[in-house]
């Protein structure tokens, strides 16, 4: 038997063997908007330390006081500096400018982009395609010293913010270049009851994930719902 034969392949890693992220500080840029605020609330309620950021620190603190569960508020720069993981939930029209201004503070951080580039007209919502390919790819281009992932695109802010709802029944598609970073974000999603984080490819595949929100908006309008996604057979 050759040494190659004797060196058995290591067993494949269980894709559900995810890291413990309970001790990580999560910052939410755009944490005073509905999606950011809802995510901050759910993560803090699950026991995560959360800081919400805004351009104005007093506005962030007011939102944090409203949420409770130990949430703190700060301006965007301080939020980025103090956090291990930074969720980007700012409006699309301010996405590039916000990230460019925080390049130094976000260096070395795990950044989770959940921004959906959308336009709206009389026919409803439609996807926009940024020059870089997607919001997540724009973030990666603007933040060369950060570890950029994409996730949390398809969540209903109404459900996230509703204290009467105990579980948010949905999967979260997570994209990124490094498996370790993706698994951290998957684990973070899994902290919220009812939610799973599912690996969904590299950042080059982020556009269609971001775009799908336009379809979900159409679903919600037709069925008077707050639709989410479930990935079957995993």
């Amino acid at each position: 038997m050759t040494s190659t034969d004797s060196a058995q392949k290591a067993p494949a890693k269980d894709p559900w063997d995810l890291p413990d992220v309970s001790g990580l500080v999560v910052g939410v840029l755009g944490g005073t908007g509905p999606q950011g605020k809802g995510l901050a609330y759910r993560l803090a309620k699950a026991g995560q330390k959360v800081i919400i950021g805004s351009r104005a620190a007093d506005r962030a603190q007011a939102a944090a006081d409203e949420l409770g569960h130990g949430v703190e508020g700060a301006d965007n720069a301080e939020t980025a500096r103090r956090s291990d993981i930074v969720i980007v939930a700012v409006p699309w029209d301010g996405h590039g400018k916000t990230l460019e201004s925080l390049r130094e503070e976000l260096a070395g951080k795990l950044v989770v982009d959940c921004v959906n580039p959308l336009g709206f007209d009389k026919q409803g919502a439609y996807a926009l395609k940024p020059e870089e390919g997607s919001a997540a790819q724009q973030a990666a281009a603007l933040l060369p010293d950060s570890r950029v992932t994409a996730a949390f695109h398809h969540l209903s802010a109404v459900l996230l913010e509703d204290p009467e709802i105990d579980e948010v029944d949905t999967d979260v598609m997570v994209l990124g270049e490094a498996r370790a970073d993706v698994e951290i974000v998957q684990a973070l999603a899994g902290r919220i009851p009812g939610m799973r984080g599912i690996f969904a490819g590299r950042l080059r595949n982020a556009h269609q994930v971001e775009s799908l929100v336009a379809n979900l908006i159409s679903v919600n309008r037709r069925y008077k719902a707050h639709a989410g996604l479930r990935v079957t057979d995993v």
Side-chain angles (χ1 to χ4, degrees):
M1 181 181 291
T2 66
S3 58
T4 304
D5 293 329
S6 60
Q8 296 294 322
K9 279 188 176 180
K13 185 178 184 293
D14 180 353
W16 295 110
D17 180 16
L18 300 173
D20 178 9
V21 297
S22 58
L24 299 180
V25 178
V26 178
V28 184
L29 305 181
T32 57
Q35 186 182 27
K37 197 173 179 183
L39 270 172
Y41 170 68
R42 288 291 164 179
L43 289 169
K45 189 177 180 183
Q48 209 75 33
K49 176 60 189 171
V50 177
I51 307 169
I52 58 176
S54 176
R55 285 177 295 179
D58 56 348
R59 188 177 171 207
Q61 190 57 56
D65 292 341
E66 185 182 332
L67 292 178
H69 297 285
V71 177
E72 295 183 40
D75 65 35
N76 282 332
E78 183 181 347
T79 298
R81 280 193 296 268
R82 292 178 56 196
S83 302
D84 302 302
I85 304 172
V86 180
I87 298 173
V88 181
V90 300
W92 166 240
D93 59 6
H95 181 263
K97 188 175 179 181
T98 299
L99 294 185
E100 197 169 16
S101 71
L102 296 171
R103 182 177 296 171
E104 185 177 332
E105 290 83 0
L106 291 170
K109 307 289 184 178
L110 176 53
V111 174
V112 187
D113 200 297
C114 65
V115 175
N116 303 302
L118 296 176
F120 295 87
D121 60 18
K122 290 181 179 179
Q123 297 183 58
Y126 60 94
L128 303 174
K129 189 158 188 179
E131 184 179 340
E132 298 85 355
S134 65
Q137 287 168 295
Q138 183 183 88
L142 292 172
L143 304 173
D145 299 319
S146 303
R147 296 137 52 209
V148 176
T149 60
F152 300 118
H153 301 91
H154 306 136
L155 305 181
S156 163
V158 173
L159 298 185
L160 290 175
E161 291 187 278
D162 189 343
E164 299 299 313
I165 293 175
D166 294 325
E167 294 191 2
V168 181
D169 179 22
T170 193
D171 286 332
V172 171
M173 300 179 82
V174 185
L175 303 96
E177 300 303 316
R179 179 165 182 165
D181 293 338
V182 169
E183 289 182 345
I184 288 171
V185 181
Q186 287 181 263
L188 187 66
R191 296 272 286 158
I192 299 174
M195 199 176 284
R196 295 188 308 173
I198 305 285
F199 170 68
R202 293 178 177 268
L203 287 186
R204 69 179 184 179
N205 291 321
H207 171 65
Q208 57 264 39
V209 174
E210 296 169 1
S211 301
L212 191 57
V213 173
N215 302 88
L216 289 177
I217 289 171
S218 297
V219 170
N220 290 337
R221 286 181 174 172
R222 174 64 60 90
Y223 298 101
K224 303 293 188 287
H226 302 292
L229 295 179
R230 277 291 185 204
V231 180
T232 60
D233 201 33
V234 294

